[in-house]
Amino acid sequence: MARHKGLVLAGGSGTRLYPITMGLSKQLIPVYDKPMIYYPISVLMLADIREIAIITTPEDQAQFRRALGDGSQWGLQFTFIEQPAPEGLAQAYLLAESFLAGAPSVMVLGDNIFFGHGLPELLAQATAREQGGTVFGYRVADAERYGVVDFDAAGQARSIVEKPSHPPSPFAVTGLYVLDGTAPRRARDVRPSPRGELEITDLLQMYLDEGSLQVQRMGRGYAWLDTGTHASLLDAGNFVRTLTERQGQQVGCPEEIAWHKGWIDACALRARAERFRKNDYGVYLRGLLGEDADSG
């Protein structure tokens, strides 16, 4: 079975978060104690993906390279791809076609946060399918803000409607897409929408029309947060802080995932802990090694 590659779409101008994002990419602003992009990268790591393309604007790419390096500190390999202009989510598959080289992919939006105990298993189910694709439906109170799944009487998805004034269901499609190696070829057939973008819903509809798209519902045990507004950004930070302080466990910690998967050794983890020795993040990494913050 072909190994999936990862895509993080971290482009866009972030105008909804102005003035914060006038000098900083949206996906690098903090969600509590980590840059936002750590969270989607962690999702890909939980799916056992180690080759990841970060798709960014030309002017922001240097920021991402400085913040993320080449990925080796987490046992990963990063490729940076420029998105000259934000022309829709489906454009990511065109930009990443040579990187994917026919491989299936998991794409996650750079401003989405996912949390849930069964997330690795949910991802494993999706990546085990060799053909077609899987997206994830999440129940929301304000479905008109999202792409919404329209189910038939048997509970099977028949269409995905973008920002409907009268949502056919309360299930929004999250910013997490597992698609087979045909996605770039299909994306070439997507025509710009009235707002001038290559819509991901049109790409997904191609899979739906041939019966090869699965909509997996995320139940009550999962949290899906997007951070596109000032209020939702604050909510996400408070969510992560509450979990971190209440449970004493990190959320979206690439070092921890890499360590548990055996992608980095104790020496590499200790080096990361030392880099963050002046804050609680470094203390936490030391704790993974069974060391306290004062030990050498």
Side-chain angles (χ1 to χ4, degrees):
M1 186 170 70
R3 181 179 290 274
H4 285 68
K5 294 183 179 182
L7 304 175
V8 179
L9 187 53
S13 53
T15 52
R16 285 193 298 163
L17 287 174
Y18 275 5
I20 300 172
T21 50
M22 290 176 74
L24 179 67
S25 171
K26 174 173 68 171
Q27 291 83 9
L28 289 176
I29 60 180
V31 175
Y32 187 46
D33 59 351
K34 292 175 291 296
M36 188 187 294
I37 198 169
Y38 274 41
Y39 299 92
I41 288 173
S42 295
V43 169
L44 296 177
M45 295 174 73
L46 290 173
D48 286 325
I49 292 173
R50 301 179 70 176
E51 289 183 74
I52 298 172
I54 312 291
I55 303 174
T56 74
T57 65
E59 55 270 24
D60 289 335
Q61 190 176 122
Q63 294 179 21
F64 283 94
R65 288 182 182 273
R66 186 166 63 250
L68 299 175
D70 62 4
S72 60
Q73 74 276 15
W74 299 323
L76 306 176
Q77 180 182 331
F78 289 147
T79 297
F80 293 90
I81 297 175
E82 288 188 0
Q83 183 184 32
E87 296 176 353
L89 303 187
Q91 183 193 25
Y93 294 97
L94 302 179
L95 298 172
E97 185 167 15
S98 62
F99 164 77
L100 293 173
S105 62
V106 180
M107 182 170 78
V108 58
L109 302 187
D111 62 356
N112 278 215
I113 296 173
F114 295 88
F115 179 80
H117 177 70
L119 190 56
E121 292 76 17
L122 199 68
L123 292 165
Q125 279 185 332
T127 56
R129 299 184 68 216
E130 296 200 19
Q131 292 184 316
T134 301
V135 294
F136 301 90
Y138 190 88
R139 190 182 188 96
V140 294
D142 51 351
E144 64 278 359
R145 291 180 52 219
Y146 303 96
V148 179
V149 185
D150 180 15
F151 296 100
D152 63 21
Q156 297 297 308
R158 57 187 173 192
S159 68
I160 297 170
V161 189
E162 188 65 32
K163 296 182 175 63
S165 54
H166 301 287
S169 84
F171 285 91
V173 177
T174 73
L176 181 59
Y177 312 91
V178 183
L179 299 181
D180 64 17
T182 67
R185 174 178 59 77
R186 294 173 189 266
R188 286 199 295 272
D189 292 331
V190 175
R191 303 272 73 87
S193 67
R195 62 177 184 164
E197 295 194 0
L198 303 180
E199 305 289 355
I200 192 76
T201 47
D202 290 344
L203 176 60
L204 298 177
Q205 191 65 45
M206 294 179 185
Y207 285 94
L208 269 176
D209 288 344
E210 62 182 41
S212 63
L213 184 74
Q214 184 176 58
V215 178
Q216 182 77 38
R217 300 189 196 197
M218 285 183 165
R220 290 174 181 260
Y222 294 93
W224 168 52
L225 307 171
D226 71 49
T227 51
T229 67
H230 297 108
S232 61
L233 180 63
L234 181 61
D235 288 344
N238 286 331
F239 175 81
V240 172
R241 179 186 177 187
T242 299
L243 285 172
T244 301
E245 294 188 353
R246 180 75 170 165
Q247 298 189 323
Q249 292 181 304
Q250 275 284 337
V251 178
C253 178
E255 288 87 357
E256 181 175 22
I257 299 169
W259 166 247
H260 285 315
K261 288 186 175 292
W263 297 349
I264 60 173
D265 60 18
C267 183
L269 182 56
R270 192 173 293 113
R272 295 292 287 177
E274 176 63 19
R275 185 163 196 183
F276 307 127
R277 67 185 182 279
K278 293 187 177 180
N279 62 34
D280 289 343
Y281 196 73
V283 171
Y284 183 80
L285 297 183
R286 273 293 173 100
L288 295 176
L289 292 162
E291 301 172 359
D292 63 52
D294 297 322
S295 63

